[in-house]
Amino acid sequence: MPGDEPFKQEVLRLAGPEVLTCIQCGTCSASCPTANLMNPSIRRLIKLCLEGKKEEALHNETLWLCTSCLLCTVRCPRGIRPKAVVSALKDIAERTGLQGKDAAYEKFFLEQIKDYGRIAELALTAKFLLVFPQGVVQSMQMGLELLPRGKIGLEIEKIKGRDEVKRIIEELWKE
Amino acid sequence: MKLAYYPGCVSQSTGKEMDASTRAVSAALGIELVELPDWNCCGATHVSHELVATGLAARNMAQTDLPIMTSCSICYSNLRAAALRLEEPDTREKVNAVLDKKYSGAKIRHALDVILEALTENDERIVVPLKELRVAPYYGCLLTRPAGLYSPEFPTILEKLIKRLQAEPVDFRLKTVCCGGPIFMPQEKAAEDIALKILSEAKKAGAEVIVTVCPLCHLMLDAKQKVLEQKHGEKIGIPVLYVTQLAGIALGLGPEELGLFMNSVSPMAMVERVYVRLSE
C-alpha cells in the first residue's frame, strides 16, 4: 500500500526537513528513558512517518511516553530532533480529534493557559480525573503530601493579558 | 545587579519553596529582582505546537528589557529555545504579528548561573560553609538541553557551585537522566520507575542530600519519595533541596525564609549536621 504523502509532508513541515536524512541508527531509542515501554520505538516511529504510515504513527502509546527530555535530540548524529517528530505527531493527532487520557491532559493544559494565562495544578488535576478516574489514588496521595505544606494553590490566578494569550494560541495554531 | 524575575506557575503551588528561596538568596546576594509583569505560563512540556510555545514564551520575554532569571529549568529551556527560534526572521514576524508588545531579543538566565557568578571563591557571605556535606548534583534534562551554555550530558556547573559552598559533590552517574516528571499524571508507573532509580542511585553514591534545579524533578524526588518507598519497600529518606535552598543555608538564611519546612522529606537533620560540623 502506498504511503500517505500529505501526512509525511506535514510531519516534515512541523519537525524539520532533516528528518528525511534519518539513517535508522537507533541512537534515539538507545537514549530514551522510557524506551523499554515503547512500541513502536522512537527509531521505528520516525521510519513510520517517512513511509507515510499515518495510522500506525498516530495511534500508539509511544507518543505519550515521551518525557521531552531531549536526550535523543542532542545525540542524533544527523541533527534530527526526534522529540520534535513526537510533538508534530501529537499536534496532528490533536487536530484530528484523537481521544484518550494523554491527549486529554494536553488539551486541558492548553485550555487552561487560554482561559487564565497560567496553570493552576488543582483545577487541571480535577478536570483530568473526570476523564481518567484511575488516577485518583495517585492524585490523593500527592494532595495529602502537598496540602499540609501549603503547596496547593486553591485560587486560580488570572492574568490581565488573557486576550493576548488567547490570540497567540489561536492564531499561531493555524500556522 | 538588577534582573527581571520569571517565577513560573509552580511558584504559586508545588514550588513555593523554590520561589521563596530564590527571592531570599537574591536579596542576600544584593541582586534586585523585578517580577516580570503579568507573566503567563511557558507551556511547560505540554504544548506540542512549536510556534504556539514560541509565542507564549515571546509574550513573557517582551515584557522587559532586563535579562530574565528563572529558577525553573522547564521555563528556562522553553524561553531559551524560543529565543533561538525567534532569531529566524520568518518566525519572529509571525509571532510579533500577534503580540501586543513586540519581541526584540532577550537574555535568559537560570538562578544557578546567577548565584554562581555572584559568589566569589571563599566569599565571606558564606557564613555557614557546608563542610563535608555530600551532595548529589541532579541536573535532570532541561537546564542543559537543548544544548546551550552547558554540556548536555556532562555538565559541571552544579558541582562548581557545590564546591563554592564548600560542600562535596558526589560522583552521580544519573545526574542528567530524566526524572519522568512530565508524564507522571497519565503514565504513572513509567514515571515512578525512573524516579526510584535516581533516588536509589543517589543513595548508593553516598549522598546526604540531592540538589535539583527544576520543580518537576523536585516533585518527583521529594513529594513522591514516601509513595515510592511504600510501593517498593525500600527506605530512601534522602532530602531533596532546590539549589537556591542549598545556597541559602550556606549564606546563613533561616529555614523559614528558605521554605525548608515545605519540603516533604525534612532536611532539618541534615541542616543540623551542617551546623554541628561547623562548630567542630
Side-chain angles (χ1 to χ4, degrees):
Chain A
M1 199 180 80
D4 183 333
E5 189 60 25
F7 164 72
K8 175 180 163 183
Q9 290 307 325
E10 182 64 358
V11 172
L12 293 175
R13 188 181 72 82
L14 291 166
E18 64 276 13
V19 177
L20 279 174
T21 69
C22 175
I23 52 171
Q24 289 288 298
C25 69
T27 301
C28 47
S29 294
S31 307
C32 181
T34 48
N36 59 324
L37 302 167
M38 284 182 177
N39 182 24
S41 67
I42 179 73
R43 174 194 61 80
R44 173 125 178 86
L45 190 70
I46 290 175
K47 187 160 181 275
L48 291 172
C49 292
L50 294 175
E51 289 170 349
K53 291 188 175 155
K54 184 175 176 177
E55 290 308 307
E56 285 171 70
L58 290 181
H59 298 103
N60 58 69
E61 196 89 336
T62 299
L63 301 188
W64 310 104
L65 284 163
C66 169
T67 65
S68 314
C69 82
L70 296 176
L71 204 51
C72 55
T73 298
V74 297
R75 282 183 177 171
C76 174
R78 305 312 298 260
I80 297 166
R81 301 177 304 146
K83 190 247 157 183
V85 174
V86 170
S87 293
L89 291 171
K90 280 184 185 173
D91 190 33
I92 295 169
E94 281 159 22
R95 279 168 204 264
T96 52
L98 183 89
Q99 304 286 316
K101 66 178 184 346
D102 307 85
Y105 190 74
E106 298 228 334
K107 187 170 153 258
F108 296 154
F109 201 93
L110 196 62
E111 272 173 8
Q112 209 177 66
I113 301 177
K114 216 194 276 185
D115 293 343
Y116 308 118
R118 291 181 189 168
I119 291 298
E121 283 149 335
L122 182 64
L124 180 68
T125 305
K127 214 166 168 192
F128 179 66
L129 290 178
L130 291 178
V131 298
F132 186 61
Q134 297 93 316
V136 77
V137 174
Q138 102 153 318
S139 299
M140 292 275 286
Q141 285 168 335
M142 191 53 97
L144 288 173
E145 201 50 51
L146 298 174
L147 195 60
R149 294 180 172 78
K151 293 204 284 186
I152 292 184
L154 297 173
E155 279 170 44
I156 300 186
E157 245 182 290
K158 291 183 183 176
I159 69 164
K160 293 193 204 89
R162 292 195 299 283
D163 288 346
E164 187 186 8
V165 167
K166 194 162 181 254
R167 187 170 70 234
I168 292 170
I169 295 171
E170 285 174 355
E171 292 301 314
L172 296 179
W173 187 263
K174 293 180 197 154
E175 292 282 344
Chain B
M1 185 169 38
K2 195 167 163 180
L3 297 171
Y5 173 47
Y6 179 39
C9 299
V10 296
S11 66
Q12 325 273 310
S13 55
T14 58
K16 277 186 180 169
E17 69 272 52
M18 176 185 84
D19 180 55
S21 55
T22 299
R23 293 177 193 269
V25 166
S26 300
L29 292 174
I31 298 159
E32 189 189 341
L33 298 183
V34 186
E35 186 166 330
L36 210 58
D38 205 43
W39 53 268
N40 57 269
C41 174
C42 72
T45 55
H46 300 293
V47 176
S48 299
H49 196 289
E50 275 191 356
L51 198 61
V52 172
T54 306
L56 290 172
R59 181 182 174 276
N60 285 319
M61 296 190 286
Q63 306 298 320
T64 184
D65 294 324
L66 293 168
I68 301 169
M69 182 187 94
T70 174
S71 286
C72 170
S73 292
I74 305 174
C75 295
Y76 174 75
S77 179
N78 276 339
L79 295 193
R80 218 167 49 80
L84 287 174
R85 283 185 216 121
L86 287 161
E87 285 306 304
E88 207 224 314
D90 186 43
T91 303
R92 192 180 288 206
E93 196 182 317
K94 279 179 190 159
V95 167
N96 271 339
V98 296
L99 292 184
D100 285 345
K101 278 189 190 157
K102 306 303 172 197
Y103 173 84
S104 61
K107 184 168 167 52
I108 313 302
R109 302 190 62 180
H110 195 284
L112 164 61
D113 155 52
V114 173
I115 295 170
L116 183 64
E117 189 193 77
L119 286 172
T120 54
E121 298 258 3
N122 303 314
D123 200 302
E124 59 189 23
R125 290 172 297 185
I126 300 175
V127 289
V128 185
L130 307 177
K131 277 198 301 185
E132 295 161 40
L133 184 70
R134 294 173 58 78
V135 185
Y138 181 58
Y139 292 85
C141 308
L142 297 178
L143 175 75
T144 67
R145 301 195 283 266
L149 277 182
Y150 317 109
S151 157
E153 295 198 56
F154 306 104
T156 54
I157 179 172
L158 254 178
E159 281 89 337
K160 259 183 224 160
L161 182 70
I162 291 167
K163 283 183 194 157
R164 196 150 296 179
L165 303 173
Q166 298 176 39
E168 294 170 14
V170 303
D171 186 12
F172 188 34
R173 211 165 53 87
L174 299 183
K175 68 182 186 179
T176 56
V177 165
C178 178
C179 71
I183 57 168
F184 92 92
M185 275 302 282
Q187 299 280 352
E188 181 182 358
K189 194 185 172 311
E192 289 185 351
D193 287 351
I194 311 180
L196 184 71
K197 225 190 288 175
I198 291 163
L199 285 168
S200 309
E201 179 67 23
K203 203 163 182 201
K204 240 186 275 168
E208 298 173 77
V209 57
I210 299 173
V211 64
T212 64
V213 286
C214 169
L216 205 47
C217 297
H218 192 270
L219 187 84
M220 291 304 288
L221 302 183
D222 182 54
K224 266 195 167 284
Q225 198 174 122
K226 211 191 301 167
V227 170
L228 291 172
E229 283 178 339
Q230 282 163 0
K231 278 193 182 169
H232 298 268
E234 187 181 333
K235 178 78 189 149
I236 301 163
I238 187 165
V240 186
L241 292 181
Y242 284 103
V243 69
T244 41
Q245 291 183 305
L246 189 77
I249 294 170
L251 291 168
L253 301 177
E256 206 57 76
E257 289 170 281
L258 297 173
L260 295 184
F261 300 125
M262 288 184 181
N263 290 52
S264 282
V265 180
S266 172
M268 294 318 290
M270 181 219 92
V271 175
E272 211 177 297
R273 273 202 304 279
V274 165
Y275 276 86
V276 168
R277 282 170 194 160
L278 197 63
S279 62
E280 275 167 2

